[in-house]
Amino acid sequence: MEYTANKEVIAKRIARIFKDGDVVNLGIGLPTLVGNYVPAGVTIVLQSENGFLGLGPAPAPGREDPALVNAGGGFVTIQPGGAFFDSAMSFAIIRGGHVDATVLGVLEVDQKGNLANYKIPGKMVPGMGGAMDLTVGAKIVVAATEHFDKSGASKLLRACKLPLTAAGQVDFVCTDVGFFEVRNGTFVLKEYFKPYTVDYILEKTDADIVVDKDCREVDLG
Amino acid sequence: MEYTANKEVIAKRIARIFKDGDVVNLGIGLPTLVGNYVPAGVTIVLQSENGFLGLGPAPAPGREDPALVNAGGGFVTIQPGGAFFDSAMSFAIIRGGHVDATVLGVLEVDQKGNLANYKIPGKMVPGMGGAMDLTVGAKIVVAATEHFDKSGASKLLRACKLPLTAAGQVDFVCTDVGFFEVRNGTFVLKEYFKPYTVDYILEKTDADIVVDKDCREVDLG
Amino acid sequence: MVAKPIIAAEKAVELIKEGDTVMVGGFLGCGSPPALIDALEQQGTKNLTLVCNDTAFLNFKTGACTHVAKLVAKKQFRKIVVSHIGTNQETQRQMNEGETEVVLVPQGTLAERIRAAGAGLAGVLTPTGVGTEVQEGKQVLDVDGRKFLLEKALPGNVALLKAKKADKAGNLVYDKAARNFNPLMAMACETVIVEADEIVEIGQLDPEIVVTPSVLVHYLVRSKKQG
Amino acid sequence: MVAKPIIAAEKAVELIKEGDTVMVGGFLGCGSPPALIDALEQQGTKNLTLVCNDTAFLNFKTGACTHVAKLVAKKQFRKIVVSHIGTNQETQRQMNEGETEVVLVPQGTLAERIRAAGAGLAGVLTPTGVGTEVQEGKQVLDVDGRKFLLEKALPGNVALLKAKKADKAGNLVYDKAARNFNPLMAMACETVIVEADEIVEIGQLDPEIVVTPSVLVHYLVRSKKQG
């Protein structure tokens, strides 16, 4: 079996986590894609940590407003019923447990729920931005990542080596091969995505994985 | 010489402390009177700790708005250029040093700058309301009090006996007999008000008083 | 955006259970929710903890009894956490006679403690109360040579708030000085119930002027003003 | 109400002295004051400490250099306190080569530290950063069985802010997501300078929608938009 990175699969699966009315903060990059796959009948409210609730899609060309951008600086819109606020209120909402779920990108994630995504010492140091507050504050923290890096190494680890963004805060990890819960210091495989198999995942992942008794194959094609 | 309580004298003298543009919080009761005597040419901006800036005088009869009251629950107005805010912002303004002066009522005040005005144990316990934050936060704290209580006892003391509202925060004490600065653990008499004399004040006040070298008589009649 | 349930005041206060900590917005009653208070009095739930700026007005001579003072008079609280009780003789009586535990908190500290709970902070370091009775039993920290009290976050179970206008999503704006503690309590409670004078459609409140964002509000109640 | 001086950007930045801590509003430049930044670049004051959400955009390949990145490029800072530098390659270079001290602060912690300074608090207890490098050198407090970092207040000397509209007294409203850190920095600095797209007479801003009250603002500067 050959691995093919597939961001769409990750976004599709994560989008199914949400309940109608959930308040969600999506990190920049891969997590942003999740917004495109929310099932019909489910409305989620997107929080943008730069200071508003009700983040909407990109505006039509020519309708960009330099004062209406997401946390990555990209032009967006605001939904009816949205609200603007300052950074203290924005993070009060995040840290105070008023956000139901956050989806964050990954450099490394480990079976203890540790996440590293803000710093490769001496090399790349973007900074944590709002990620440390999001991981501590959101009720559900979902790590979204391709299962392997470009060299083929597992992004799911026994223990992160990079500086942590958060210690023990990740609840779920969704890759393009499967969906994992973090429980009692191990990854619990809940779903494996077609065409991958349980054996493939256990063999190729550099971490302890328990296969859930209800683990099942899911086709996100 | 006989003592006659005179709130007007206290209010008149305190009103002369302010510079044009000062932001001032006046406590309920006697301190509120100060607002009536601000000299021509000096504009002060009144902060109301229940949540606005630009407190104006009582409305004309029939124009009362139940949502526009001062911290004592009395009907007021708001000046052009005022602003409403919540209690956290109100006390951020107070505690954060953004208020130039506060004038507070007194049960006891002592020569170390201690103020007691919120509690007579077992008897009267109104609570401190905003007074503890005001004394700690305002740049200048003025204690406004009649010089003697109804039994004739000095309200200025060597050491407060009642539970303190603030420890060592009072800068000036203005009574109806004189104007005092609190400096190095003593009262410094800066002005004595006609018809009282320095000797009268030194004799009748139950505290250490240093007479300022520039101490002078003032007529506030 | 998702609409929040609009329910009757009587239904709303059923969410309050014996033993709960109830936060009530308002400052001497200005900004308190009258219909919700009346419904809670009617329901009669006891052993509550009240968090409020004050206990409003209750005067033995005049018989005046307003806002949360109605609940104090009915002895629905086992504990009262406020900054001021000077306008409520019954609160003072209950305190002096040991019938009710009354905790007096400096008003700015009360605001920050409520906000901290809503903001996921364990507490703040304030200079307010250093060297006074307020300091008793609290951790005193020295920061850069000055003393501060560690004042802990104060969360609640249910908030009873008053807004001037809400949209159906739960965005709120307030009326002048009636704002006071309402926006802070909206952050700090598991269940936030708002009595609004006017409830408009989603999209009819300018997102720039919203004071309390919808995410903090769970139930809306029409005030009697609205009919 | 008292009017605040309306001055030119060039005059305003004369209030900034070598060694000062300067706070600049904005988030990736959205809500940063362009005229004030240009004037400070022109003035060339060095050894400053920057407090900002981020260092905006500077890309070696494309040559893009926006907002506070202009001041970073001119090496006007000896210390940079921000939550994010991922969009500014020059900040990363200066940090990696040890030319400039860069302190990375979680964004919510940065907001609370600035707010604390403005609110007269010595600091806050936050769970953010526990068990990470952010914890290093900080006091860890146990509150009710959970660990929190004591994050200290972060005050500044001068704030350079951007508002959509100001009245002459200094009341401010902002433009959508350009609000971000501006209202917090207005609380936390000795001198607060605001570049406003529009300056109206006192009384022309509704007191209900003011975000930053006049008392926090010291100088107004007309943005170039206003002409």
Side-chain angles (χ1 to χ4, degrees), chain A residues 49-50 65-67 69 71-73 84-88 91 95 118-119 125-130 132-133 136 163-165, chain D residues 27-28 30 83-86 92 95 104-109 112 126-128 132-134 175-181 183-184:
Chain A
E49 67 260 37
N50 55 327
D65 181 340
V69 292
F84 295 106
F85 33 76
D86 68 29
S87 296
F91 282 88
R95 205 190 307 98
Y118 86 102
K119 189 177 186 181
V125 187
M128 68 291 281
M132 284 194 179
D133 295 285
V136 166
L164 297 185
T165 304
Chain D
F27 192 114
L28 293 175
C30 173
S83 76
H84 197 264
I85 58 174
Q92 297 198 42
M95 178 176 70
L104 291 169
V105 181
Q107 203 170 109
T109 299
E112 286 297 328
T126 180
T128 304
T132 76
E133 284 186 359
V134 166
D175 190 10
K176 305 182 196 77
R179 188 182 306 193
N180 53 69
F181 280 84
L184 308 174

Side-chain angles (χ1 to χ4, degrees), chain D residues 91-193:
Chain D
T91 311
Q92 297 198 42
R93 189 199 64 75
Q94 288 180 21
M95 178 176 70
N96 288 337
E97 298 185 13
E99 290 175 14
T100 306
E101 183 187 356
V102 176
V103 182
L104 291 169
V105 181
Q107 203 170 109
T109 299
L110 187 63
E112 286 297 328
R113 289 181 63 195
I114 295 168
R115 181 184 178 277
L121 304 170
V124 299
L125 298 183
T126 180
T128 304
V130 169
T132 76
E133 284 186 359
V134 166
Q135 183 176 319
E136 283 172 21
K138 283 175 194 149
Q139 202 172 339
V140 182
L141 280 95
D142 196 297
V143 179
D144 303 330
R146 196 176 162 205
K147 284 189 167 66
F148 295 89
L149 303 188
L150 167 50
E151 291 280 6
K152 288 189 194 175
L154 180 62
N157 300 106
V158 180
L160 302 180
L161 309 182
K162 178 79 198 310
K164 183 183 178 191
K165 198 191 275 196
D167 70 13
K168 288 183 174 174
N171 290 299
L172 308 179
V173 295
Y174 302 93
D175 190 10
K176 305 182 196 77
R179 188 182 306 193
N180 53 69
F181 280 84
N182 282 293
L184 308 174
M185 293 172 170
M187 301 164 72
C189 292
E190 293 153 14
T191 303
V192 175
I193 306 168

Side-chain angles (χ1 to χ4, degrees), chain B:
Chain B
M1 196 175 311
E2 206 167 306
Y3 169 74
T4 316
N6 190 331
K7 290 180 182 176
E8 211 177 61
V9 160
I10 302 168
K12 273 187 187 169
R13 176 58 188 91
I14 293 174
R16 296 183 185 177
I17 290 176
F18 309 128
K19 298 183 308 297
D20 194 38
D22 272 359
V23 176
V24 178
N25 184 299
L26 301 175
I28 298 304
L30 166 52
T32 301
L33 296 180
V34 173
N36 301 335
Y37 297 100
V38 177
V42 174
T43 303
I44 62 171
V45 178
L46 292 177
Q47 201 259 9
S48 194
E49 68 260 36
N50 54 328
F52 61 110
L53 203 70
L55 185 144
R63 304 291 301 258
E64 297 89 354
D65 180 340
L68 193 42
V69 293
N70 63 19
F75 293 116
V76 294
T77 49
I78 185 167
Q79 304 275 12
F84 294 106
F85 32 76
D86 68 29
S87 296
M89 176 60 109
S90 186
F91 282 89
I93 288 172
I94 289 169
R95 206 190 306 99
H98 310 289
V99 167
D100 295 297
T102 187
V103 183
L104 291 166
V106 168
L107 287 169
E108 295 175 348
V109 60
D110 75 25
Q111 62 198 45
K112 293 192 181 75
N114 295 320
L115 174 70
N117 75 351
Y118 86 102
K119 188 176 185 181
I120 304 177
K123 203 171 153 195
M124 185 200 72
V125 187
M128 68 291 281
M132 284 195 179
D133 296 285
L134 279 162
T135 47
V136 166
K139 286 180 203 153
I140 294 174
V141 176
V142 184
T145 180
E146 292 159 6
H147 203 84
F148 303 102
D149 69 15
K150 274 160 198 153
S151 73
S154 168
K155 302 253 281 183
L156 281 62
L157 301 174
R158 281 188 177 77
C160 290
K161 284 161 257 166
L162 295 173
L164 298 185
T165 304
Q169 297 289 347
V170 174
D171 299 296
F172 299 102
V173 180
C174 187
T175 77
D176 37 16
V177 310
F179 186 80
F180 303 83
E181 189 182 336
V182 176
R183 199 196 295 160
N184 302 326
T186 64
F187 290 116
V188 177
L189 182 66
K190 312 273 287 183
E191 296 169 10
Y192 53 100
F193 303 149
K194 213 174 170 185
Y196 303 101
T197 63
V198 171
D199 286 347
Y200 175 87
I201 293 171
L202 295 179
E203 187 196 324
K204 299 280 190 183
T205 310
D206 190 20
D208 297 319
I209 300 178
V210 169
V211 180
D212 193 76
K213 67 176 171 36
D214 299 322
C215 182
R216 63 198 181 96
E217 184 183 56
V218 172
D219 186 353
L220 293 159

